[in-house]
Amino acid sequence: MKKSVVVKNVSKKYKLYDTHAERLKDLLLPKSYGEEFYALHNVSFKADKGDIIGLVGVNGSGKSTLSNIIAGTIPPTKGSVKTNGEAAMISVSTGLNGKLSGRENIELKCLMLGFSKRQIRQMEPDIIEFSELEQFIDQPVKSYSSGMKSRLGFAISITVNPDIFIVDEALSVGDKAFAQKCLDKMHEFEQRGKTMFFVSHSLTQMKEFCNKVIWLEFGEIRAEGEASEILKQYEAFLKEYNAFTPKEKKAFRNQGFEKQSAVRAVTE
Amino acid sequence: MNAVLTVAKELWTSIPLINRLAVYETKIKNKSNYLGSFWEIISPLLFIAIYWFAFGYGIRQRSDVDGIPFLTWMLAGIILWFFIQPGVTNGSKAIFSKIKMISKMNFPTSIIPAYVVISRLFPHLALLAITIVYMQFAGHPISIYYLQIPYFLVAAIMLVISVVMITSTLTVIVRDFQVFIQSSIRVFLYLTPILWPMDNRLPDWLIPVMKINPMYYLVEGYRASFFYGEWYFITNASYTLYFWALVFVLFSIGAVLHVRFRRHFVDFL
């Protein structure tokens, strides 16, 4: 079967600068300044067509970075991502311009994606219909609630019909009815053989929906495989983690941070 | 050299997209004002009135510039300034302010500064039309030399796009650069013969120095089209050559910078 997404040894390095001067020096001088931080380190996996992959992990484990890299909005520092088809990402307010109205955002977004004026005019009613924004569609997006924004983002993305779909927390802000509508739509996509990535803290949604799960921890893959199994492990971990005292939690995070900063020393 | 070709090809093949985005940009820019896009014309006309009052009526005591009334003389040049100045300032912050709209990597980012510059073309064309009508009554009716106007307009577009190709990238990397551009571009209003004529008034050695500024070429070109009665780009062939060489160099620098950093624009935000 043809792989739809192949992620190979992807690392994403960010630099943490203490001052502006440090940032400038790093840019201009050959010597490296600032502290390095690996949001992702050496992540590899493959996705088949029709896979629905859940990304789980505690805050700061690299879920959003990974989804951004798959969507192609940010470049990986090392490694490669091969996608078979167009990828689109939905997260709360991705690429929406607050000053513009909902309708203008639809037009602009579709223009940026390379659709012609006529195609956009055809797609617009569908998008507005799906977003359930009705009379709010001509109001500026900055006045929208987060639920409205994610509805608009979701409606645009599904109507432009990408092959690979990344949903980053977008469903957790809408109400149950809309979430259900989106899940139905995604089931339809699943049948059409589209690949989906699903980032959420709602394990119930994941259980119902994903067939594979990747568990990220401190920018690395801690476990991946069948959804039910990994989710069971993850749930067990969460229970344990929640039982930590605040001090232990902090120690856990610090240990992770040190790991993510020190990766370089190990690999180079 | 590769980068130059890449960017040139991207711009060339995206011309329809650039136009559509430019139309869109103009449409939404003045949305929240009651007078809408009219401000794009009202505001330069206000400035023209003020400059005429301060320079023509006040400083020059209503004297002519080589037989041409000051207002007529100034108008022919200043309309170009109202394209170049906002073109450069808006174009410089184009990538920084629009990159978030882009959600996929294979979008040709080089068209972002280009379409922002092109969007400034619509008010310019309106001003140009007003000026042409005005010239009919001011004693400089349509002549064969008007045919130079499209040439100098294209030259102006090329120059501005080349400049913002550099500045839009640098602005993403060092935010201060935008502030620098915004304040330094104003200087050129006085360093170009827009509000005051330079030849015959400056010492001979200074004229070539002022001519290093490529806007000198464009402004004088516009004036030649309206009333000098000469083919400016032919009678000043070596200046034409200098202008295009400069545009090429600026464009190359801009293209190299753009291609070098484009993958990482989002990382700098």
Side-chain angles (χ1 to χ4, degrees):
Chain A
M1 198 170 176
K2 212 169 179 198
K3 301 286 173 200
S4 71
V5 178
V6 180
V7 171
K8 216 172 141 193
N9 303 328
V10 162
S11 296
K12 180 72 191 175
K13 181 174 77 181
Y14 283 106
K15 285 223 162 161
L16 312 175
Y17 303 105
D18 292 332
T19 57
H20 273 305
E22 224 175 47
R23 192 191 165 90
L24 205 61
K25 274 195 265 180
D26 193 42
L27 199 68
L28 299 174
L29 303 174
K31 201 181 151 228
S32 174
Y33 288 85
E35 201 175 337
E36 292 186 337
F37 178 79
Y38 279 81
L40 284 179
H41 182 247
N42 227 353
V43 171
S44 305
F45 66 87
K46 285 171 189 158
D48 291 317
K49 273 191 172 165
D51 268 352
I52 303 185
I53 299 175
L55 299 176
V56 295
V58 293
N59 282 336
S61 55
K63 301 185 298 283
S64 292
T65 311
L66 182 57
S67 33
N68 270 306
I69 287 177
I70 297 168
T73 39
I74 58 173
T77 313
K78 258 189 238 150
S80 68
V81 178
K82 281 202 192 86
T83 54
N84 193 357
E86 285 286 325
M89 161 139 144
I90 316 160
S91 68
V92 183
S93 79
T94 12
L96 294 177
N97 184 334
K99 272 190 236 157
L100 305 180
S101 74
R103 192 189 300 277
E104 286 160 341
N105 264 297
I106 295 174
E107 283 168 22
L108 190 56
K109 190 91 192 180
C110 294
L111 272 182
M112 288 281 199
L113 288 167
F115 290 98
S116 74
K117 267 249 157 83
R118 202 189 312 127
Q119 283 171 309
I120 294 172
R121 220 170 298 133
Q122 277 168 359
M123 289 153 62
E124 215 180 75
D126 292 343
I127 297 176
I128 298 171
E129 171 75 34
F130 195 90
S131 67
E132 297 174 5
L133 283 167
E134 280 123 31
Q135 62 270 49
F136 295 107
I137 197 71
D138 290 311
Q139 299 305 311
V141 165
K142 65 181 172 204
S143 67
Y144 285 14
S145 69
S146 51
M148 288 158 88
K149 277 186 212 161
S150 86
R151 257 148 56 194
L152 181 62
F154 200 91
I156 296 175
S157 308
I158 59 151
T159 319
V160 302
N161 206 8
D163 307 294
I164 298 151
F165 220 96
I166 300 139
V167 185
D168 187 356
E169 300 281 359
L171 297 182
S172 39
V173 287
D175 56 21
K176 278 266 151 57
F178 188 76
Q180 194 52 50
K181 190 170 159 187
C182 297
L183 288 175
D184 290 345
K185 195 81 193 176
M186 284 156 77
H187 274 301
E188 188 194 317
F189 280 167
E190 182 190 2
Q191 259 126 49
R192 281 199 264 159
K194 292 183 195 277
T195 310
M196 268 172 276
F197 289 88
F198 199 52
V199 182
S200 174
H201 287 292
S202 157
L203 296 184
T204 8
Q205 270 180 1
M206 281 224 176
K207 261 182 213 155
E208 160 188 1
F209 197 56
C210 304
N211 62 343
K212 274 192 202 163
V213 165
I214 294 170
W215 175 7
L216 290 169
E217 191 176 88
F218 304 133
E220 286 175 334
I221 294 181
R222 171 146 169 194
E224 66 166 308
E226 282 302 311
S228 52
E229 196 176 315
I230 305 293
L231 284 173
K232 209 189 287 167
Q233 290 176 24
Y234 182 62
E235 239 168 330
F237 162 79
L238 276 185
K239 218 174 252 168
E240 199 182 311
Y241 181 73
N242 283 335
F244 280 1
T245 60
K247 218 172 164 183
E248 280 173 319
K249 276 187 191 165
K250 200 173 171 192
F252 179 75
R253 282 198 303 267
N254 277 342
Q255 174 206 335
F257 183 82
E258 262 162 43
K259 207 168 143 197
Q260 279 172 287
S261 327
V263 168
R264 198 172 61 117
V266 183
T267 47
E268 279 170 24
Chain B
M1 204 59 223
N2 249 336
V4 179
L5 285 175
T6 313
V7 172
K9 207 175 127 205
E10 252 173 40
L11 291 176
W12 181 252
T13 52
S14 309
I15 286 177
L17 182 59
I18 291 176
N19 288 338
R20 266 181 284 157
L21 288 170
V23 170
Y24 205 79
E25 175 82 5
T26 346
K27 209 170 81 184
I28 57 185
K29 190 164 170 265
N30 293 290
K31 247 197 74 191
S32 44
N33 307 331
Y34 287 109
L35 287 178
S37 319
F38 274 110
W39 279 111
E40 303 279 355
I41 300 158
I42 299 169
S43 138
L45 288 181
L46 273 175
F47 272 102
I48 288 168
I50 295 294
Y51 288 140
W52 171 79
F53 180 70
F55 288 86
Y57 194 81
I59 295 174
R60 298 183 58 87
Q61 299 285 308
R62 297 219 260 173
S63 61
D64 289 349
V65 180
D66 307 324
I68 299 162
F70 179 75
L71 179 62
T72 312
W73 180 86
M74 177 182 76
L75 197 59
I78 204 165
I79 51 169
L80 205 50
W81 169 254
F82 289 121
F83 166 67
I84 294 174
Q85 190 256 339
V88 170
T89 36
N90 294 345
S92 300
K93 59 184 174 201
I95 292 180
F96 169 63
S97 56
K98 313 259 178 220
I99 193 81
K100 278 195 188 136
M101 289 296 292
I102 291 162
S103 47
K104 53 176 201 170
M105 224 49 201
N106 52 4
F107 187 84
T109 43
S110 63
I111 73 171
I112 301 173
Y115 91 73
V116 171
V117 171
I118 297 297
S119 78
R120 304 307 307 173
L121 204 57
F122 305 112
H124 177 69
L125 290 176
L127 276 183
L128 188 60
I130 292 172
T131 307
I132 288 175
V133 171
Y134 169 88
M135 289 298 170
Q136 307 313 305
F137 297 102
H140 304 284
I142 288 185
S143 69
I144 182 112
Y145 299 106
Y146 268 50
L147 289 176
Q148 294 172 92
I149 295 176
Y151 163 79
F152 283 106
L153 183 53
V154 169
I157 295 168
M158 299 293 251
L159 175 69
V160 176
I161 288 182
S162 304
V163 169
V164 301
M165 211 45 97
I166 303 175
T167 56
S168 60
T169 304
L170 291 180
T171 298
V172 176
I173 299 165
V174 183
R175 214 57 39 79
D176 308 44
F177 201 72
Q178 169 64 16
V179 189
F180 169 72
I181 291 292
Q182 235 158 19
S183 40
S184 60
I185 184 83
R186 282 185 215 141
V187 172
F188 282 92
L189 178 61
Y190 301 97
L191 291 182
T192 312
I194 292 173
L195 296 174
W196 57 288
M198 288 183 172
D199 37 352
N200 305 333
R201 287 157 190 87
L202 289 178
D204 280 348
W205 63 269
L206 205 50
I207 294 291
V209 178
M210 300 315 275
K211 280 191 167 179
I212 292 173
N213 168 13
M215 272 195 276
Y216 194 114
Y217 176 75
L218 298 171
V219 165
E220 282 301 288
Y222 255 46
R223 291 216 173 97
S225 319
F226 284 118
F227 35 68
Y228 293 169
E230 58 167 0
W231 298 104
Y232 188 81
F233 60 99
I234 296 171
T235 48
N236 293 275
S238 55
Y239 199 16
T240 302
L241 215 60
Y242 161 79
F243 177 85
W244 287 107
L246 182 70
V247 167
F248 181 74
V249 169
L250 290 173
F251 185 78
S252 306
I253 297 172
V256 168
L257 274 175
H258 186 89
V259 169
R260 162 98 170 69
F261 285 103
R262 73 153 116 211
R263 255 168 68 77
H264 298 284
F265 283 149
V266 274
D267 290 344
F268 282 105
L269 294 184

